[in-house]
Amino acid sequence: MLINRSDIYDKNLNFLIGSGASVGVLPTLALQLKQSGTTAPHTLETLATKFEADDSLMCLIFSYYVEKVIAPAANFDISKLTDEQRAVLDNYVVFLETILTLLNKQRNGRRANIFTTNYDGLIAHCAERMIQHGQHDFILNDGGSGFVKRMLQTRSFNRFVKDQGSFDRHEVSVPQINLIQPHGSAYWYKDGENIEISYDLTRSTKRISEVPTCLKAKFEEFLGDKDKSDSDIAAENFSVDSAACAKFWQKYEELPIVNPTKWKFNETVFEEHYYQSLRALSYELEKPNSVFIVFGFSFADEHILSLVKRSLSNPTLKVFVCCFNDRQKADLEGKFNIFDNVELVRVDGDLDFDKFNGEVFNANPEPTA
């Protein structure tokens, strides 16, 4: 199903991109372990929430989170891509090019907002390469301000760049894409009461390597067993030394990453940016003639879900939520079925990034017979 171009041209464009877009480079929070009494598999969010009172299990679950979800983002090296990783980045490039095609046809504004709950820098890496290749002229605004040391400033997202003639006889807005990461980034660092942005791979790799995880091979295998459920955990007798747990939490809590249990940060400075990002999302969705396209996101974050529901009172807001499969569509119908301005998008088969770019979000679709 193609999103109708008349619904998105000359509108206030907003996107929410989740981990489903980065599959092939980075893993999602999905597990194979079943929720007891159901056929539904756990995610890291649901499993950690269920065993929140068990210190040993929480240490194991969050060690898995660091090793299997956060570390791949922190260690990602764009200069060493597998074919699968290259295909994912190619899809990000196509996605950005489609946004730019739409912006270049707009009469005013020429700005779009990408909100992403991913910790990776794939959008920034792709935008950098697109600009370096000289085929696109646009601004990717990640909120950074400064030169040698770039600091994250939410107000930076309200700044615009214009090309102006030599004698001030004309001016043209440069297309701008704002990149806003409510859940944090592997490339953020606490600097006093501020957040520094640095895409230095050596720095991000060093920091994540200093987190003394407690993951055990037996526990990792258990999480990947589709024939097991959380009711089998007691029989396995998983345990971690309390001193090792304490060392792990000390380093873990320094990471600029939202906790997937309560969707909160440990550091106040990151927590403040999280809520500033949500306010920015709310503000954009309440603007007249806004479009909100969601891909690769499950709405597990209750704060974001509640915010989007409140924003749907805006009669000129149009929301497109891409559903990976029929099971996800059924789940999202339960969340959004009372709203007329929400459209749940499905295609034949699984709605992956290829199909999103080719069949759903395409500024120049093939003509139909």
Side-chain angles (χ1 to χ4, degrees):
M1 172 203 150
L2 181 72
I3 293 176
N4 194 315
R5 285 178 292 176
S6 65
D7 287 333
I8 56 180
Y9 280 161
D10 248 0
K11 301 293 175 63
N12 174 36
L13 288 175
N14 300 277
F15 303 85
L16 176 57
I17 302 299
S19 59
S22 297
V23 171
V25 173
L26 303 169
T28 68
L29 301 185
L31 304 172
Q32 293 295 315
L33 182 73
K34 296 291 191 299
Q35 299 183 42
S36 58
T38 75
T39 58
H42 266 294
T43 64
L44 278 172
E45 305 104 300
T46 58
L47 188 65
T49 299
K50 184 175 182 66
F51 293 100
E52 198 167 10
D54 189 316
D55 292 339
S56 281
L57 279 176
M58 288 295 282
C59 188
L60 286 167
I61 292 168
F62 276 76
S63 290
Y64 178 93
Y65 180 46
V66 169
E67 288 193 23
K68 303 302 177 181
V69 179
I70 302 173
N75 295 327
F76 176 72
D77 187 348
I78 195 170
S79 68
K80 299 176 181 178
L81 297 177
T82 65
D83 289 343
E84 185 180 24
Q85 291 173 332
R86 187 171 288 105
V88 175
L89 266 67
D90 287 346
N91 268 316
Y92 269 112
V93 169
V94 172
F95 170 58
L96 293 174
E97 288 177 335
T98 303
I99 294 175
L100 292 174
T101 297
L102 294 168
L103 293 182
N104 284 324
K105 294 179 180 179
Q106 286 189 353
R107 293 185 292 271
N108 300 303
R110 306 184 78 185
R111 184 189 72 169
N113 302 299
I114 299 177
F115 295 84
T116 178
T117 53
N118 298 342
Y119 317 128
D120 60 64
L122 299 188
I123 291 175
H125 287 308
C126 289
E128 176 81 1
R129 286 205 163 183
M130 291 166 66
I131 293 170
Q132 285 180 353
H133 290 165
Q135 296 176 332
H136 301 277
D137 181 20
F138 70 102
I139 302 293
L140 181 80
N141 182 2
D142 63 0
S145 178
F147 298 97
V148 177
K149 179 180 283 191
R150 299 180 65 247
M151 310 305 288
L152 180 63
Q153 302 281 351
T154 303
R155 65 176 180 270
S156 297
F157 294 118
N158 296 319
R159 294 173 180 165
F160 299 90
V161 175
K162 291 185 177 181
D163 284 334
Q164 196 166 35
S166 299
F167 300 101
D168 297 342
R169 291 177 180 172
H170 68 271
E171 62 179 27
V172 179
S173 297
V174 178
Q176 176 171 311
I177 298 175
N178 287 337
L179 176 63
I180 305 165
Q181 296 180 271
H183 283 185
S185 169
Y187 302 105
W188 289 359
Y189 300 85
K190 184 174 184 291
D191 186 292
E193 296 305 310
N194 299 303
I195 299 172
E196 180 188 356
I197 303 173
S198 170
Y199 294 99
D200 184 340
L201 176 61
T202 302
R203 188 176 178 185
S204 62
T205 299
K206 180 177 184 296
R207 178 174 61 184
I208 202 66
S209 69
E210 293 173 347
V211 182
T213 57
C214 304
L215 183 61
K216 297 179 179 180
K218 182 181 177 183
F219 185 72
E220 181 181 348
E221 182 180 344
F222 181 79
L223 296 183
D225 191 340
K226 63 182 180 181
D227 295 322
K228 299 281 189 180
S229 78
D230 56 62
S231 60
D232 298 311
I233 286 182
E236 298 289 342
N237 193 28
F238 294 116
S239 63
V240 181
D241 177 72
S242 59
C245 271
K247 290 179 181 178
F248 166 74
W249 289 119
Q250 181 182 5
K251 283 293 185 181
Y252 171 81
E253 291 176 358
E254 296 175 4
L255 297 176
I257 301 296
V258 71
N259 282 329
T261 45
K262 297 181 183 300
W263 302 107
K264 291 183 65 177
F265 287 94
N266 288 295
E267 283 284 355
T268 303
V269 63
F270 298 124
E271 181 85 354
E272 181 179 346
H273 178 74
Y274 174 62
Y275 287 108
Q276 287 177 345
S277 299
L278 295 191
R279 283 194 291 272
L281 175 58
S282 177
Y283 174 73
E284 293 297 333
L285 297 187
E286 290 170 5
K287 286 182 178 179
N289 299 314
S290 290
V291 171
F292 188 44
I293 299 174
V294 181
F295 174 71
F297 185 70
S298 66
F299 282 98
D301 185 323
E302 292 294 331
H303 292 128
I304 293 179
L305 175 62
S306 297
L307 182 155
V308 172
K309 284 184 173 181
R310 289 195 302 271
S311 300
L312 288 167
S313 61
N314 175 3
T316 65
L317 170 65
K318 181 67 176 180
V319 177
F320 299 92
V321 181
C322 297
C323 307
F324 179 70
N325 53 28
D326 290 335
R327 184 172 66 187
Q328 187 184 39
K329 183 179 180 183
D331 176 62
L332 292 173
E333 282 174 344
K335 293 180 170 69
F336 295 110
N337 62 352
I338 65 171
F339 300 101
D340 294 333
N341 47 347
V342 176
E343 193 163 330
L344 301 181
V345 180
R346 279 287 290 125
V347 298
D348 291 336
D350 294 339
L351 206 174
D352 58 16
F353 213 167
D354 275 325
K355 289 185 177 179
F356 173 76
N357 281 326
E359 300 181 27
V360 176
F361 185 56
N362 187 338
N364 298 293
E366 294 294 327
T368 55

